[in-house]
């Protein structure tokens, strides 16, 4: 990685600003999934062990007006982080002002403070989300010239709490999580051990045009599943029943199929139902065609067998997007079969690009079998598309 990392800077006695991604689900004041907090621990612990004074920034949800602040405080996160670290986490409950500044000035080496939800600054002119220069300068002034970005999930956005702070400190460096995310995802795409197979699911072709085009030029095969597969199948002349389709993208799908020259792999059969919810009939199709009155909600047994064939011998696999409605037990066999086909390949580097794919692996018990599960769906998508992430670009070069 061509950027400085947290190991390249002296931390002892320094007030170290750290952007983390604590955008965790909270229901009735209780965190329902703390994976993002756990993922940030190695960097936080390293800073504290080195004698740094860690000042953490994170957003939580979207905040556009005063009413949106309800249930969006990072107070539950401060409590959970304190329990995981086994030490107090100072939480002034503010994004700026005298109380916050006083609390920071009282920090001692090895102590930690969490700033309130950075998106609270969006109520007055979207200062966080629009990278307000004054806000970036103010937050940077709270530290001693060192900023550690460990929030991969927001690295594709130029906000005051990442790009803004970076522009106003002596050194902006990557934390361990950000470093690993870049190493796994970017290096898998740019310098993969071959065969390299990319798998893309999700509902819309329009969401992943750039990703498909980039991966067709990089991967040996691109497997398409999920709702967007039906647009490709209709473009080839197959019947798709009432399945999800983007009719305005049929010509684009044809162009991508031609450009792929056989690299693009589509389902060969489907598991279908006569409704998305409240269905009374579920069956497998004999081939790619879906009968009238039915919609595709998963791939079926022939496609699952084909996944095993297509992935045989793969050394690098990047997967983004389930291939069925995995939240429903009736339509999760395809996603499970795909995961089994991936993880059984000897010596494979298997990477999940966050989002629903990560949720599927975690919820269905396959998380430990993958080499890496990204913490940022949107950021990983932009890396797969070959884009430069603003949060990464803003870091100090080695």
């Amino acid at each position: 990685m061509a950027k400085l990392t947290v190991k390249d800077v002296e931390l002892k006695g320094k007030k170290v600003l750290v952007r983390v991604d604590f955008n965790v689900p909270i229901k009735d004041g209780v965190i329902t999934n703390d994976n993002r907090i756990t993922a940030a621990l190695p960097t936080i612990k390293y800073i504290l062990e080195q004698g740094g004074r860690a000042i953490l920034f994170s957003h939580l949800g979207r905040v556009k007006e005063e009413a949106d602040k309800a249930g969006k405080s990072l107070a539950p996160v401060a409590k959970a982080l304190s329990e995981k670290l086994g030490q107090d986490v100072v939480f002034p409950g503010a994004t700026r002002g005298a109380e916050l500044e006083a609390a920071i000035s009282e920090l001692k080496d090895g102590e930690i403070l969490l700033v309130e939800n950075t998106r609270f600054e969006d109520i007055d002119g979207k200062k966080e989300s629009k990278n307000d220069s004054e806000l970036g300068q103010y937050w940077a002034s709270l530290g001693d010239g060192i900023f550690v970005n460990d929030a991969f999930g927001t690295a594709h956005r130029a906000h005051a709490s990442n790009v803004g702070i970076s522009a106003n400190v002596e050194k902006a460096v990557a934390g361990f999580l950000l470093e690993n995310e870049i190493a796994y995802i970017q290096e898998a795409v740019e310098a993969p051990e071959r065969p390299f197979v990319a798998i893309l699911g999700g509902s819309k072709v329009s969401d992943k045009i750039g990703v498909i085009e980039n991966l067709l030029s990089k991967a040996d095969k691109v497997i398409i599943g999920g709702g967007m597969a039906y647009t490709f199948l209709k473009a080839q002349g197959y019947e798709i029943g009432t399945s999800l389709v983007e009719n305005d993208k049929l010509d684009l799908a044809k162009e991508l199929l031609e450009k792929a020259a056989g690299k693009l792999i589509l389902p060969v059969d489907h598991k279908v139902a006569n409704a998305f919810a409240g269905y009374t009939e579920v069956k497998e199709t004999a081939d790619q065609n879906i009968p009238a009155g039915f919609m595709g909600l998963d791939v079926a047994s022939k496609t699952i067998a084909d996944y095993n064939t297509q992935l045989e011998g793969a050394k690098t696999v990047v997967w983004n997007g389930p291939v069925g409605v995995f939240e429903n037990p009736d339509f999760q066999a395809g996603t499970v079969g795909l995961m089994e086909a991936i993880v059984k390949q000897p010596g494979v580097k298997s990477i999940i690009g966050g989002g629903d794919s990560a949720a599927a692996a975690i919820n269905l018990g396959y998380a430990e079998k993958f080499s890496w599960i990204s913490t940022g769906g949107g950021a990983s998508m932009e890396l797969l598309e070959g884009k430069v992430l603003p949060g990464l670009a803003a870091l100090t070069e080695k």
Side-chain angles (χ1 to χ4, degrees):
M1 187 166 156
K3 303 288 185 176
L4 290 179
T5 75
V6 67
K7 284 197 169 183
D8 295 321
V9 288
E10 176 61 46
L11 302 171
K12 185 170 178 57
K14 299 285 183 68
K15 296 192 292 287
V16 182
L17 308 175
V18 190
R19 182 52 160 101
V20 289
D21 183 4
F22 288 163
N23 185 29
V24 295
I26 298 177
K27 186 174 183 181
D28 300 325
V30 178
I31 297 169
T32 57
N33 184 327
D34 65 2
N35 287 338
R36 286 179 171 173
I37 300 175
T38 301
L41 292 178
T43 295
I44 295 170
K45 287 179 177 178
Y46 178 79
I47 292 167
L48 300 179
E49 288 163 1
Q50 296 298 309
R53 307 172 187 188
I55 301 162
L56 309 186
F57 295 82
S58 178
H59 74 289
L60 177 63
R62 294 186 179 182
V63 181
K64 296 181 180 179
E65 55 189 44
E66 192 69 30
D68 294 336
K69 291 169 71 172
K72 300 282 176 62
S73 171
L74 285 171
V77 174
K79 182 174 181 291
L81 180 61
S82 175
E83 291 169 355
K84 286 182 180 293
L85 291 172
Q87 70 180 81
D88 289 340
V89 173
V90 179
F91 183 67
T95 56
R96 63 168 82 205
E99 188 179 351
L100 174 63
E101 292 161 22
I104 289 173
S105 69
E106 292 170 9
L107 285 177
K108 296 179 176 61
D109 294 359
E111 293 186 342
I112 182 170
L113 177 146
L114 177 62
V115 176
E116 182 58 283
N117 186 350
T118 60
R119 293 270 176 92
F120 283 7
E121 289 287 341
D122 276 354
I123 293 171
D124 181 19
K126 293 190 175 179
K127 288 185 168 64
E128 157 72 320
S129 298
K130 289 193 173 180
N131 191 17
D132 178 78
S133 60
E134 182 274 330
L135 182 60
Q137 289 170 22
Y138 172 72
W139 279 339
S141 75
L142 299 175
D144 289 327
I146 298 172
F147 172 59
V148 181
N149 191 349
D150 210 29
F152 179 70
T154 61
H156 60 309
R157 300 188 181 109
H159 285 179
S161 63
N162 58 6
V163 173
I165 296 177
S166 295
N168 291 284
V169 294
E170 183 183 343
K171 289 179 181 175
V173 306
F176 297 133
L177 177 62
L178 184 63
E179 185 182 12
N180 280 330
E181 292 274 16
I182 300 303
Y184 273 100
I185 300 173
Q186 193 169 57
E187 289 176 18
V189 175
E190 299 301 329
E193 185 178 355
R194 298 188 183 275
F196 168 32
V197 181
I199 304 160
L200 297 173
S203 59
K204 294 181 177 181
V205 178
S206 53
D207 291 340
K208 297 188 175 177
I209 295 168
V211 179
I212 295 169
E213 290 181 328
N214 189 47
L215 289 176
L216 281 174
S217 70
K218 310 276 189 183
D220 298 295
K221 296 175 186 175
V222 178
I223 296 173
I224 300 289
M228 67 175 172
Y230 308 117
T231 298
F232 281 99
L233 289 167
K234 184 172 182 178
Q236 289 182 311
Y238 292 107
E239 298 294 330
I240 62 164
T242 58
S243 302
L244 187 67
V245 65
E246 290 178 280
N247 285 310
D248 62 334
K249 293 293 183 288
L250 293 175
D251 287 341
L252 172 65
K254 289 176 184 175
E255 289 175 20
L256 289 171
L257 285 161
E258 288 173 12
K259 188 182 294 186
K263 276 189 182 182
L264 205 149
I265 312 298
L266 293 167
V268 295
D269 65 350
H270 316 276
K271 196 168 187 182
V272 301
N274 58 352
F276 183 82
Y279 48 84
T280 56
E281 189 176 355
V282 176
K283 62 183 180 181
E284 291 192 5
T285 63
D287 54 26
Q288 287 99 324
N289 292 294
I290 296 173
F294 284 81
M295 63 174 60
L297 296 174
D298 195 6
V299 297
S301 52
K302 291 177 185 175
T303 301
I304 294 170
D306 189 51
Y307 287 157
N308 285 275
T309 301
Q310 299 294 346
L311 286 159
E312 189 171 357
K315 292 301 180 186
T316 306
V317 177
V318 175
W319 171 39
N320 186 290
V323 295
V325 186
F326 75 93
E327 301 92 340
N328 184 334
D330 285 339
F331 307 110
Q332 64 185 209
T335 298
V336 170
L338 174 64
M339 289 191 288
E340 289 180 345
I342 294 169
V343 300
K344 76 178 185 181
Q345 303 307 320
V348 67
K349 179 188 273 189
S350 52
I351 299 155
I352 299 179
D356 287 341
S357 307
I362 292 165
N363 296 343
L364 299 175
Y366 284 81
E368 299 299 319
K369 298 180 180 181
F370 281 85
S371 306
W372 184 254
I373 298 180
S374 176
T375 57
S380 65
M381 282 291 293
E382 294 205 6
L383 270 189
L384 293 177
E385 195 172 339
K387 289 184 175 179
V388 175
L389 305 186
L392 179 62
L395 300 182
T396 308
E397 297 284 340
K398 280 191 175 179

